[in-house]
Amino acid sequence: MNQTKLIIITALFFTIFSNYSFFDNVLGVYPFEGINIIYVISLSLLLFTFMIFLFTLLSSRYTTKPILIIMLIISSLTSYFMNAYHVIIDSDMIRNAIQTDLMESLDLFSLKMVVYLLVLGVIPSIYIYKVELKFDSLKIEFFRKIKTLLLSLILIIIILFSFSKFYTSFFREHKPLRYYTNPTYWIYSIGDYISKTLKSGKIELKAIGLDAKITNSTEEPKLVIMVVGEATRADHFSLNGYKRETNPLLKKENIINLPNVSSCGTSTAHSVPCMFSIFDRDDYSYKKGISTENVLDVLYHTNKISLLWRDNNSDSKGVALRVPFEDYKRSPNNTICDEECRDEGMLVGLDKYISKQKNKDILIVLHQMGNHGPAYNKRYTKIFQKFTPVCKTNQLEMCSQKSINNAYDNALLYTDYFLSKVINLLKRYDKTHKTSMIYMSDHGESLGEHGLYLHGLPYFMAPDAQTHIGAVIWFGKGNQKTIDSTKEYSHDNLFHTLLGLFNVETKVYKKELDMFKENGTIH
Ligand SMILES: [Zn+2]
């Protein structure tokens, strides 16, 4: 067989077997009836022809087989994730995957994933590996390649022009649909990811807030614990009116609940650096984030604040590169580990740390494992299993909506417990420090509404569940502040609120974004 034939067979295989998610979404927008039938057929043809064009472009005696095999293997996995979790593979998702460590990946592992890998990846790859390709002379091969490219290009143009009205609306108004094409969209996303990160050249870090200073140091030192939560959505907090009691311990504390806070992104890798950055949501990009100092750096520039980042999530996503960082995902650092290391382990030894800082102000950031999905049932110990039955598999689509919610809500109970432990730790410093705790989740989570699971959808198409986050603030005795808690806030406020809490004066501080200064409250 010649390589053109192999490419056509592979493109056909991709179109029919690897694009379930794409056609599922297309049929959601264009139900299979009337003229839509012709549109959907023309879309399949377009996808098929485009793949032939793309694969032919990359083909040669030495590249055709390896490229097709790599595409099949990766696409079998992207198919699985798109079908099982309704996620899309964009450049943010690729960054997430690269920054995710092995333990998190194991959480996603399932038998069904292996079946996808075998049926859509390995078996067709074996066929491609075994098939004997005949190559003619360079000249004949070259002209055959040109001919295939031209023919497929002409066919693409004919399809686009015969239904130009349909395609205008398809590409303009239903932009997200093409995010589900396989393998074309993940290939595009890898290119997008590379151009956004690697190609950006050597990153030079831009210092900000070098003028930062603290003037009124007559008060007791400040002790602030910032808890970066994981995947808690606002509407599952009983503090926000959720029908189940998911904040039984927090509600007993004198907390300020913030019911209207939105996240910067829909993934950890996007939100965490964004919330600590000087940029607001519209202005933030990965490149800007890593090439500009964040609020921890500005606090550090005052020379008066001790900073510590403890992490039980994946890592600080680049936020804590220049401040002391401690990994609490493993023992022996974390002393409270059973099937996994628990968030409360991050509190062990903090007293010792605080006592060592003498009279300095202190900011401790605790990055939680929180409600990291899909294995919510692993995120808490037995005593928090209040809501049953719980979904015990990472294949969420196999579980009932109720059992997913149960496992998720149990994990929220663990966070409620963790935050109340943080508050009780801070209470012990009432007399010596001005204490406060800020809790904000990094993003929300979809729990099966409209077939969506987990998080990570592009912001403009993400449901409220993924962007409307749990957030709570607590102040110790002698440090009470008031706030219009029903106002809409976002991760944009964190940078300036942290500076405000430490009374930092700097040109980069914006009073109007400080949640507590803006309301004219006294210190
Ligand atoms: Zn996250």
Side-chain angles (χ1 to χ4, degrees), residues 230 268 442-443:
E230 174 60 52
T268 311
D442 58 346
H443 49 77

Side-chain angles (χ1 to χ4, degrees), residues 140-414:
I140 297 178
E141 286 296 328
F142 177 76
F143 282 110
R144 188 182 288 145
K145 191 168 170 171
I146 294 292
K147 200 174 87 188
T148 315
L149 285 175
L150 273 178
L151 274 175
S152 44
L153 198 62
I154 290 167
L155 199 55
I156 289 171
I157 292 169
I158 291 176
I159 297 171
L160 289 177
F161 275 93
S162 339
F163 304 104
S164 60
K165 242 193 187 148
F166 164 72
Y167 281 106
T168 316
S169 108
F170 177 80
F171 284 115
R172 279 210 196 133
E173 277 142 60
H174 300 292
K175 206 174 159 200
L177 286 178
R178 79 185 99 141
Y179 299 168
Y180 294 95
T181 58
N182 202 6
T184 37
Y185 195 69
W186 68 254
I187 294 172
Y188 164 81
S189 300
I190 287 180
D192 190 33
Y193 172 75
I194 292 172
S195 78
K196 272 184 186 157
T197 46
L198 306 182
K199 223 182 77 188
S200 57
K202 212 179 124 217
I203 307 287
E204 273 185 47
L205 186 70
K206 185 175 166 251
I208 56 166
L210 290 170
D211 60 337
K213 60 177 191 293
I214 298 173
T215 42
N216 61 335
S217 48
T218 48
E219 300 178 334
E220 309 96 299
K222 299 180 177 71
L223 170 58
V224 181
I225 296 187
M226 163 82 213
V227 179
V228 181
E230 174 60 52
T232 65
R233 48 190 275 183
D235 64 347
H236 274 239
F237 271 32
S238 53
L239 290 168
N240 295 327
Y242 185 49
K243 58 184 190 305
R244 275 175 169 176
E245 187 53 80
T246 48
N247 309 110
L249 299 170
L250 274 179
K251 80 168 180 193
K252 290 185 199 154
E253 303 294 344
N254 185 21
I255 53 136
I256 301 170
N257 176 49
L258 302 172
N260 301 312
V261 181
S262 57
S263 64
C264 175
T266 61
S267 68
T268 311
H270 188 99
S271 277
V272 173
C274 178
M275 66 200 280
F276 285 90
S277 84
I278 189 170
F279 305 107
D280 57 24
R281 189 177 78 222
D282 297 332
D283 214 19
Y284 175 83
S285 73
Y286 174 73
K287 197 187 162 193
K288 276 178 167 175
I290 53 166
S291 56
T292 313
E293 288 189 339
N294 59 56
V295 68
L296 301 188
D297 298 296
V298 180
L299 294 170
Y300 180 78
H301 292 324
T302 64
N303 274 325
K304 289 204 170 144
I305 305 171
S306 297
L307 296 147
L308 174 66
W309 183 297
R310 284 189 170 180
D311 207 298
N312 192 35
N313 200 293
S314 35
D315 57 48
S316 78
K317 307 295 173 197
V319 177
L321 290 179
R322 297 167 293 276
V323 302
F325 174 92
E326 293 172 353
D327 181 3
Y328 269 71
K329 216 168 170 193
R330 285 156 198 90
S331 52
N333 261 6
N334 195 327
T335 51
I336 307 183
C337 304
D338 38 84
E339 60 176 329
E340 69 182 26
C341 286
R342 301 295 171 191
D343 288 334
E344 63 178 309
M346 292 192 284
L347 304 178
V348 176
L350 277 188
D351 285 319
K352 209 166 142 197
Y353 171 81
I354 293 165
S355 71
K356 274 191 193 158
Q357 308 312 313
K358 298 286 181 282
N359 285 318
K360 274 183 109 178
D361 289 343
I362 301 170
L363 171 66
I364 298 164
V365 182
L366 305 175
H367 191 192
Q368 275 189 282
M369 188 59 166
N371 276 46
H372 194 288
Y376 309 116
N377 67 309
K378 288 189 187 166
R379 301 289 103 86
Y380 52 86
T381 48
K382 201 87 207 221
I383 50 165
F384 296 95
Q385 185 145 307
K386 195 173 150 199
F387 309 114
T388 52
V390 298
C391 173
K392 284 195 173 132
T393 163
N394 51 19
Q395 286 168 259
L396 295 175
E397 78 283 7
M398 311 262 279
C399 287
S400 70
Q401 180 83 32
K402 203 176 158 204
S403 67
I404 295 169
N405 279 330
N406 286 342
Y408 182 85
D409 291 346
N410 289 332
L412 282 181
L413 286 175
Y414 182 78

Side-chain angles (χ1 to χ4, degrees), residues 60-129:
S60 78
R61 183 183 287 257
Y62 302 106
T63 56
T64 305
K65 278 189 175 188
I67 284 178
L68 291 180
I69 288 173
I70 290 169
M71 283 186 189
L72 279 164
I73 299 289
I74 297 179
S75 295
S76 69
L77 296 174
T78 55
S79 268
Y80 169 71
F81 287 115
M82 288 198 290
N83 294 355
Y85 299 115
H86 288 232
V87 295
I88 59 165
I89 314 297
D90 60 1
S91 58
D92 270 351
M93 193 57 94
I94 288 168
R95 179 168 303 117
N96 273 319
I98 289 171
Q99 294 188 356
T100 297
D101 67 14
L102 188 69
M103 266 156 71
E104 283 177 54
S105 315
L106 287 178
D107 255 13
L108 290 167
F109 185 83
S110 76
L111 195 67
K112 199 169 166 189
M113 183 170 132
V114 178
V115 174
Y116 267 80
L117 183 64
L118 282 176
V119 176
L120 295 181
V122 175
I123 294 170
S125 292
I126 292 173
Y127 169 78
I128 288 180
Y129 179 74

Side-chain angles (χ1 to χ4, degrees), residues 434-501:
K434 289 206 176 257
T435 57
S436 46
M437 177 195 78
I438 303 181
Y439 166 79
M440 269 186 195
S441 182
D442 58 346
H443 49 77
E445 187 86 333
S446 282
L447 295 170
E449 302 89 353
H450 316 293
L452 292 175
Y453 294 97
L454 305 176
H455 52 265
L457 276 188
Y459 210 89
F460 75 92
M461 57 190 278
D464 213 39
Q466 293 191 20
T467 58
H468 185 187
I469 51 170
V472 164
I473 296 186
W474 176 90
F475 288 108
K477 266 191 193 133
N479 194 30
Q480 291 295 315
K481 297 178 203 299
T482 53
I483 185 174
D484 177 5
S485 61
T486 56
K487 247 190 81 174
E488 291 198 1
Y489 295 103
S490 73
H491 279 162
D492 298 352
N493 294 102
L494 185 68
F495 183 94
H496 306 279
T497 303
L498 280 174
L499 291 179
L501 283 180

